[in-house]
Amino acid sequence: MAFSLVYLDSISSPLSGASLELIAAGRRLGDPVVVSAQPVSDESVAELGAAGVSGVVVPENAGTEAQTNFLTFETQLLAIALSETEASGVVLPNSLNGKEIAARLGVKLNAGVVTDAVDIAEDGTVTKSVLAGAYTTQARVTEGPLIVTLKANSVEYTAPAAAEEPDLLEIPVEDPAPGARVVEVREKAVSGRPDLTAARIVVSGGRGVDGDFTPVEDLADALGAAVGASRAAVDAGWINHDLQVGQTGKTVAPQLYIAAGISGAIQHKAGMQTSRVIVAVNDDPDSPIFEIADLGIVGDLKNVLPQAAAELRKRND
Ligand SMILES: Cc1cc2nc3c(=O)[nH]c(=O)nc-3n(C[C@H](O)[C@H](O)[C@H](O)COP(=O)(O)OP(=O)(O)OC[C@H]3O[C@@H](n4cnc5c(N)ncnc54)[C@H](O)[C@@H]3O)c2cc1C
């Protein structure tokens, strides 16, 4: 059977849902081999095996300062892994890094790259979401191996019937562009909430929160959800810019998106309208957000959100 490569930025134990999805997508193209630029623990190798991965490729110098922050090291690693395994395709996360590595690899190998994928068929046909999620298109590469970046929450993972301990392959990798080095890495303060782009539930607040995100954050915590925001809320300085959803922010497609105090401007919709279920809370019954909402609640978010959070907590007790 042909191989496929699955690039994972980081490998947690237990494996994250996002990693399992990428592995499931890779399985459609061939026997999945995971490639990681970071060291992989024995525990993680065993977990990858249980997820149906047949091989794990890491650089001999994994995690050392040999890596630059221009992703040339990761690109080189994948290029070598591709030539070693003759894999038919590479699946990467649809993150900024994933897309940049995909683009670099595509140029290096003169291979076709498809980003923003939401599905991959066994014959290599990729379905992608375009024009802010208004349409889906299908694409097939005509040159070299398929290089595809997959959006989170797109492909269902099911555990394989049989699993074996994967082979661990350490390969020497020379960074082709070692001109710049990472001299310091600082951890961002963690909120304890799920990552906005991968979360299954997102609660977003807009100008209607009037400077106080507490009701939005509290409902998000009651739901185990990520917090998002409109640009108006971000521009007002009420919340961090990296939580902005929309054309010039993040694109999200969770199972449930709750928009509170957000009017539904086209630029905001561009980042969330492919969400499976949209709930809007707005005190203006004529607000355009209700046009795309599956469930609309006309009311003051300062009343509605705390009631919803209290009810959820009561049910969970
Ligand atoms: C080039 C460009 C790119 C842009 N990119 C983005 C982007 O990425 N993301 C984005 O979001 N915007 C973006 N915008 C801005 C966008 O056009 C809107 O201005 C913005 O989305 C409005 O944010 P909002 O809905 O929070 O505010 P508003 O449009 O002011 O809406 C606030 C809503 O809250 C409601 N409300 C007020 N008080 C309450 C209350 N107590 N309870 C319940 N409801 C209440 C109001 O009825 C209103 O509907 C962009 C604009 C441009 C020009």
Side-chain angles (χ1 to χ4, degrees), residues 160-314:
E164 284 177 19
E165 183 84 359
D167 297 323
L168 179 66
L169 183 64
E170 294 189 351
I171 53 175
V173 182
E174 283 282 323
D175 191 336
R181 295 196 183 285
V182 179
V183 290
E184 188 185 352
V185 177
R186 272 194 232 163
E187 287 271 332
K188 219 169 106 182
V190 282
S191 68
R193 298 192 182 103
D195 175 58
L196 178 57
T197 50
R200 297 182 81 77
I201 307 177
V202 174
V203 185
S204 283
R207 205 194 306 270
V209 306
D210 198 18
D212 181 10
F213 257 78
T214 317
V216 172
E217 290 171 339
D218 191 48
L219 179 59
D221 290 342
L223 286 163
V227 168
S230 73
R231 178 156 154 187
V234 168
D235 285 351
W238 300 337
I239 191 119
N240 214 321
H241 176 259
D242 60 4
L243 298 184
Q244 181 180 317
V245 172
Q247 185 185 318
T248 43
K250 302 261 164 64
T251 301
V252 300
Q255 303 291 316
L256 171 63
Y257 186 88
I258 303 178
I262 293 177
S263 63
I266 182 126
Q267 297 89 352
H268 187 78
K269 288 196 289 191
M272 46 65 77
Q273 66 186 2
T274 56
S275 304
R276 191 151 292 176
V277 175
I278 298 172
V279 174
V281 182
N282 199 299
D283 62 4
D284 174 6
D286 297 323
S287 179
I289 191 75
F290 290 129
E291 288 164 17
I292 57 158
D294 298 286
L295 174 70
I297 302 164
V298 179
D300 186 335
L301 68 91
K302 291 184 208 72
N303 295 329
V304 177
L305 300 195
Q307 284 183 54
E311 185 61 31
L312 281 162
R313 291 207 166 93
K314 205 159 69 188

